[in-house]
Amino acid sequence: MQLLQSPSSPSLTSQLRGGLLALQKPLHLLTTHSSVNSQIHLRPIRISYNRSNSSFISATAASVEAGASAISTGTPENDVLKALSQIIDPDFGTDIVSCGFVKDLHVDEALGEVSFRLELTTPACPIKDMFEEKSKEVVAALPWVKKVNVTMSAQPARPVFAGQLPVGLQTISNIVAVSSCKGGVGKSTVAVNLAYTLAGMGARVGIFDADVYGPSLPTMVSPENRMLEMNPEKRTIIPTEYFGVKLVSFGFAGQGRAVMRGPMVSGVINQLLTTTEWGELDYLVIDMPPGTGDIQLTLCQVVPLTAAVIVTTPQKLAFIDVAKGVRMFSKLKVPCVAVVENMSHFDADGKRYYPFGRGSGSQVVQQFGIPHLFDLPIRPTLSASGDSGMPEVVADPQGEVAKTFQDLGVCVVQQCAKIRQQVSTAVTYDKSIKAIKVKVPDSDEEVFLHPATVRRNDHSAQSVDEWTGEQKLKYNDVPEDIEPEEIRPMGNYAVSITWPDGFSQIAPYDQLQTMERLVDVPQPSLAKA
């Protein structure tokens, strides 16, 4: 590999401007969530996170011993699975057995020994220790069990169309945008500290500074190597690192701030992001540039964003700009999972002061239904850490600011998991009733569609003439008994349906909800296709 500024090769900036790094346009995707057949629920143990004292609590309908005594007889393996099915994942609302977390179960009934592995969807799971503790407890309560061995692992979900993504993005589980749509509100501060909080929770994390005109990342972190490198054979970018977090910014390309027109900037951002060798990441945090223009739209459309975090300040002017950004994400089907109100207050002489007023963050939450609001105080240390090159959560991991970011990190992890689960089950096919079930995220309505109806309503160029609007796919071209071979999610807005003739149909949620529905649908069976 060579340094980008090596005299023997052109600089990264010149190659970006010259368009030498090939762009690929990926589909907007999310990941799937695996499941296995449900086990019997016996006095569920619901585990939840208590933000008020940063502790984990569990609520049981009765004691573990009482639950164990109610377990029916069966094989030792079934006894163990039934015991473990008492533990409910708070993010999915389903027991850990049905979630597919229990792996490598081995039972030696003669010795009374049980061993298994709990494989979670992210190493940053905020309640992984409680899962381990409670699983040991419920299994040890079985009368014949003398020893329980539990190991913990994580197998993050991957994009279902990984092969159609640029190589650099194929192994990233979640991409989280941090946006404000207004400059000077502390968006970069939130993005960097959130990234290092997730890393502290055990996740593999990267940061992408998407502000080419005024990159902040080189000031906020102090990597030993402050120059991006390039693999000359693959023409891919090697990110730099600081405290285990991978970093990419135009500021590390040796040119400082960009002086170029918008369309060229969009191309540079695409190339920096999609041709970087990110490796396996659980979370890639994108520090979005201010505004709602071409650069922001390009990022939202090209990158498979999982969720967005909105940053604002208490002023009314900040709310007006942030509202534009929330609407942009809404149109592009990117869920906004949290609002961070920065510079909300400061404490002095035993009193709390609000120098910029109150209510902007709450107004965003109330008007747009974003579920979580976090307040960041005015702290000299938080500002100083942004200038010193060491994030506040790294410099003072036990401080008040770090605790707020810990809560934000827990929120992001849990909401990303929920989004993946909702998307993976939004559109499914039930062979027993030969119907496609549609229950999109943020909707309580569940509808059933005839597969032939869905196939006949394809609006792609193969079915409809794009110039004349003439229907090329005729009604009789689709047999009444047609069944989908596979249904895969495409981001937060559509699914890809593969039919027996090899045709891959893109079906947006909005379109599926307007199709003619089946009536008098029989009760779906428990066994799904």
Side-chain angles (χ1 to χ4, degrees):
M1 292 183 185
Q2 299 171 306
L3 287 177
L4 289 180
Q5 300 304 313
S6 170
S8 61
S9 63
S11 69
L12 172 63
T13 306
S14 64
Q15 296 200 39
L16 290 173
R17 286 176 172 168
L20 296 180
L21 300 181
L23 278 177
Q24 301 181 52
K25 188 172 183 180
L27 294 171
H28 189 92
L29 307 174
L30 271 187
T31 51
T32 58
H33 179 78
S34 60
S35 63
V36 296
N37 293 333
S38 299
Q39 302 294 325
I40 301 173
H41 286 225
L42 299 173
R43 304 186 183 277
I45 299 173
R46 299 187 180 274
I47 301 176
S48 60
Y49 182 72
N50 186 354
R51 283 196 180 86
S52 62
N53 57 11
S54 298
S55 63
F56 294 103
I57 59 175
S58 63
T60 59
S63 66
V64 175
E65 288 76 15
S69 65
I71 296 176
S72 60
T73 59
T75 66
E77 289 79 6
N78 284 342
D79 287 347
V80 172
L81 291 175
K82 288 176 183 178
L84 290 172
S85 68
Q86 300 173 79
I87 304 174
I88 306 299
D89 185 300
D91 298 329
F92 300 142
T94 308
D95 66 88
I96 63 174
V97 177
S98 297
C99 286
F101 293 167
V102 182
K103 307 287 185 181
D104 304 332
L105 175 60
H106 178 73
V107 175
D108 189 330
E109 190 176 12
L111 298 177
E113 293 186 1
V114 177
S115 64
F116 55 89
R117 176 169 55 90
L118 292 183
E119 184 180 84
L120 306 181
T121 57
T122 172
C125 177
I127 52 176
K128 55 188 175 185
D129 293 336
M130 285 300 297
F131 276 143
E132 182 177 4
E133 177 185 340
K134 289 300 177 184
S135 61
K136 287 181 179 178
E137 191 175 339
V138 296
V139 174
L142 294 170
W144 55 271
V145 174
K146 298 178 181 178
K147 185 178 180 181
V148 181
N149 298 313
V150 181
T151 56
M152 305 296 293
S153 66
Q155 181 60 49
R158 295 289 180 236
V160 290
F161 287 167
Q164 298 186 26
L165 286 171
V167 175
L169 300 181
Q170 289 183 7
T171 53
I172 299 175
S173 298
N174 303 278
I175 302 180
V176 180
V178 178
S179 175
S180 66
C181 301
K182 179 176 178 61
V185 299
K187 168 183 52 59
S188 296
T189 298
V190 171
V192 170
N193 281 278
L194 170 61
Y196 279 92
T197 297
L198 293 171
M201 295 168 66
R204 298 163 296 183
V205 183
I207 306 174
F208 178 70
D209 184 356
D211 193 348
V212 172
Y213 291 122
S216 303
L217 198 59
T219 303
M220 304 191 72
V221 294
S222 304
E224 183 177 346
N225 182 9
R226 299 185 64 83
M227 189 69 66
L228 293 173
E229 297 181 356
M230 172 177 278
N231 185 322
E233 296 179 359
K234 297 181 180 179
R235 292 195 176 277
T236 53
I237 300 168
I238 311 300
T240 187
E241 289 193 26
Y242 183 61
F243 280 101
V245 174
K246 296 183 178 180
L247 314 167
V248 171
S249 170
F250 188 78
F252 292 137
Q255 298 295 317
R257 289 167 169 78
V259 181
M260 59 182 77
R261 295 186 182 275
M264 186 177 293
V265 170
S266 296
V268 168
I269 289 175
N270 279 343
Q271 292 170 348
L272 278 172
L273 178 60
T274 61
T275 61
T276 293
E277 294 184 13
W278 291 106
E280 291 192 354
L281 293 183
D282 300 300
Y283 301 91
L284 175 62
V285 177
I286 297 183
D287 182 6
M288 299 281 286
T292 55
D294 179 67
I295 299 172
Q296 292 77 13
L297 290 172
T298 298
L299 277 169
C300 291
Q301 291 173 332
V302 171
V303 179
L305 293 178
T306 307
V309 173
I310 306 299
V311 183
T312 185
T313 53
Q315 298 99 318
K316 181 179 180 181
L317 185 59
F319 168 78
I320 294 173
D321 287 341
V322 166
K324 296 178 184 177
V326 175
R327 292 189 182 99
M328 176 189 73
F329 284 121
S330 176
K331 289 181 179 179
L332 297 170
K333 307 296 185 183
V334 178
C336 296
V337 298
V339 175
V340 178
E341 186 177 85
N342 193 24
M343 298 180 280
S344 62
H345 62 266
F346 70 89
D347 297 328
D349 303 324
K351 297 180 180 180
R352 176 156 290 185
Y353 298 89
Y354 299 86
F356 301 120
R358 305 177 67 176
S360 172
S362 300
Q363 194 173 354
V364 174
V365 170
Q366 293 170 4
Q367 183 166 329
F368 298 103
I370 300 175
H372 303 98
L373 173 64
F374 301 90
D375 295 332
L376 279 177
I378 299 174
R379 282 293 180 87
T381 55
L382 184 57
S383 176
S385 66
D387 297 331
S388 67
M390 179 173 289
E392 174 75 357
V393 298
V394 177
D396 185 13
Q398 302 300 322
E400 180 184 350
V401 170
K403 290 180 181 178
T404 300
F405 276 108
Q406 180 74 19
D407 289 346
L408 175 62
V410 169
C411 171
V412 168
V413 169
Q414 293 179 333
Q415 292 300 312
C416 285
K418 286 182 179 180
I419 291 168
R420 288 200 308 267
Q421 170 69 1
Q422 290 173 345
V423 169
S424 66
T425 58
V427 182
T428 55
Y429 180 63
D430 190 330
K431 269 193 172 182
S432 65
I433 59 175
K434 298 187 182 303
I436 294 176
K437 184 181 75 173
V438 180
K439 187 178 185 300
V440 303
D442 300 323
S443 174
D444 296 329
E445 186 180 27
E446 183 177 86
V447 301
F448 292 87
L449 307 175
H450 193 285
T453 300
V454 176
R455 179 67 178 87
R456 289 167 180 150
N457 277 273
D458 175 55
H459 292 166
S460 70
Q462 289 184 258
S463 302
V464 180
D465 190 297
E466 292 180 310
W467 295 101
T468 65
E470 180 185 357
Q471 187 74 31
K472 295 192 293 185
L473 179 69
K474 305 304 181 184
Y475 187 92
N476 292 331
D477 292 341
V478 179
E480 283 294 321
D481 59 353
I482 192 171
E483 296 184 63
E485 289 188 343
E486 185 179 20
I487 299 178
R488 295 182 289 183
M490 292 184 60
N492 305 317
Y493 68 97
V495 291
S496 172
I497 306 176
T498 303
W499 299 99
D501 59 1
F503 179 71
S504 182
Q505 177 182 356
I506 307 302
Y509 293 158
D510 294 343
Q511 181 187 358
L512 290 171
Q513 289 180 300
T514 61
M515 291 182 186
E516 182 181 357
R517 303 173 182 180
L518 290 172
V519 294
D520 299 328
V521 180
Q523 183 67 28
S525 68
L526 294 177
K528 298 292 181 184

